[in-house]
Amino acid sequence: MAILDGKALAKKIRASIKKEVDSLKKESIIPGLAFILVGDNPASQVYVNMKTKACEEVGIYSINHRMPSEISERELIEVIKMLNDNPMVDGILVQLPLPKHLNEEKIIETIDYRKDVDGFHPYNMGRLARGNPLFISCTPYGIMKLLNEYSIDVKGRDVVVVGAGNITGKPMALMLTNSGATVQICHIYTQNLKEKTKRADIVISAVGKPNLITEDMVKEGAVVVDVGISRVKDRVVGDVDFEGVSKKASYITPVPGGVGPMTIAMLLYNTLQSVKFRK
Ligand code: GUN
């Protein structure tokens, strides 16, 4: 068994981004990323803080808009439109989830797709579905980079993606399909999950349920990617029972230190791409 070391690869990617940002600065170009955080969800606060810090480290200028949970949809839309029109802003990120009274679809569609560094806009999801992506959601993008780093070719392989969310599961399945994998998406209504995962060459779990994937559910030599993040007592754990599954897997991502750091690295990468697209 070998570890897919997302932490190490993310560090490499950040270093190369920093170099590019430094050379852009010589042309007086400073990449800018705007964060919008609505309400006081503690996990969202942690994520936005981590992303802000990552920007600082590579020299990307960040703007933080923190708004009370009672903000109206109209007010939030006004802020996004202002950022759309601001030439200093290359990327706009609205941290999800949003409070219930805000229509997430409407908010995401307000973001200029050319600044949608999260890749959540229907235009960007559509481009990915057509196999001609512009911005790709950071988590699945990071997973593809991680597999590539370890020369794991997905072409012709059977892949099971557990979780059908818009942030990871669905774009992940599209990326894998575009790369020639045979993909099955499993979700909450899936019957006999084990029967499906057991046949897969690669299992990617993005659910957020500790111990969802156990040793008996994976075949010998499978590649296992764990996207789950849950807090159990004081520990952060993934969807995969690491101890059990690592006995059978050829490659496995740890939690923490696997997919998480890659997500943040790809956000910086997408922001740099946005600068390049604009130039
Ligand atoms: N909430 C959970 N993951 C993400 C993410 O990658 N981007 C944003 N904007 N919100 C999230």
Side-chain angles (χ1 to χ4, degrees):
M1 183 275 295
I3 296 282
L4 294 169
D5 190 344
K7 195 174 165 188
L9 177 57
K11 193 174 169 188
K12 258 189 1 197
I13 293 172
R14 288 197 308 268
S16 99
I17 291 170
K18 185 170 188 316
K19 263 197 194 148
E20 286 202 53
V21 172
D22 286 346
S23 67
L24 282 171
K25 281 186 180 160
K26 293 191 186 113
E27 303 172 47
S28 300
I29 297 167
I30 300 172
L33 176 54
F35 296 97
I36 298 177
L37 174 57
V38 183
D40 46 20
N41 181 316
S44 290
Q45 286 178 354
V46 170
Y47 292 137
V48 170
N49 288 341
M50 284 164 66
K51 292 171 189 175
T52 305
K53 189 166 157 266
C55 282
E56 258 171 45
E57 280 171 10
V58 300
I60 291 175
Y61 169 73
S62 65
I63 309 168
N64 264 284
H65 286 273
R66 303 205 171 211
M67 292 161 194
S69 56
E70 313 79 53
I71 191 171
S72 70
E73 199 166 275
R74 192 172 48 78
E75 283 173 286
L76 179 54
I77 285 173
E78 279 316 305
V79 172
I80 294 171
K81 284 184 173 166
M82 188 185 75
L83 295 167
N84 284 343
D85 293 338
N86 184 342
M88 304 283 287
V89 173
D90 298 289
I92 302 170
L93 182 151
V94 178
Q95 186 64 31
L96 303 179
L98 289 168
K100 291 261 180 301
H101 69 283
L102 301 169
N103 181 337
E104 186 179 299
E105 294 308 318
K106 199 167 160 190
I107 299 302
I108 288 172
E109 284 181 40
T110 304
I111 299 170
D112 185 334
Y113 72 85
R114 290 162 296 190
K115 296 188 177 188
D116 171 39
V117 287
D118 257 332
F120 293 171
H121 192 287
Y123 176 86
N124 282 313
M125 285 285 265
R127 289 271 305 244
L128 180 62
R130 288 195 55 85
N132 176 32
L134 184 66
F135 288 112
I136 304 172
S137 181
C138 305
T139 301
Y141 203 0
I143 292 168
M144 293 302 282
K145 291 268 181 204
L146 192 54
L147 295 175
N148 188 58
E149 175 75 6
Y150 288 83
S151 306
I152 298 166
D153 189 3
V154 303
K155 193 176 289 166
R157 314 302 292 283
D158 287 319
V159 185
V160 165
V161 177
V162 189
N166 284 316
I167 295 178
T168 303
K170 279 191 253 179
M172 186 79 254
L174 289 170
M175 285 196 91
L176 290 161
T177 305
N178 291 342
S179 297
T182 302
V183 186
Q184 185 169 39
I185 308 184
C186 298
H187 44 68
I188 191 145
Y189 301 115
T190 298
Q191 309 275 319
N192 297 321
L193 178 62
K194 176 176 165 179
E195 199 179 89
K196 277 116 183 145
T197 55
K198 220 168 154 58
R199 280 199 231 120
D201 301 311
I202 303 171
V203 177
I204 300 175
S205 185
V207 175
K209 192 174 167 193
N211 289 317
L212 177 67
I213 309 295
T214 45
E215 187 183 346
D216 56 315
M217 293 171 74
V218 299
K219 79 172 173 194
E220 196 70 43
V223 174
V224 180
V225 177
D226 191 349
V227 191
I229 296 181
S230 309
R231 243 153 281 262
V232 175
K233 288 172 198 147
D234 272 345
R235 244 158 43 93
V236 173
V237 299
D239 292 346
V240 177
D241 167 30
F242 185 88
E243 204 188 306
V245 172
S246 59
K247 288 185 209 139
K248 275 174 131 180
S250 56
Y251 289 95
I252 186 167
T253 60
V255 176
V259 175
M262 289 302 298
T263 296
I264 297 184
M266 297 320 290
L267 173 66
L268 307 173
Y269 180 88
N270 279 349
T271 304
L272 195 54
Q273 287 297 109
S274 177
V275 177
K276 292 182 191 170
F277 294 152
R278 208 177 309 279
K279 276 210 299 174

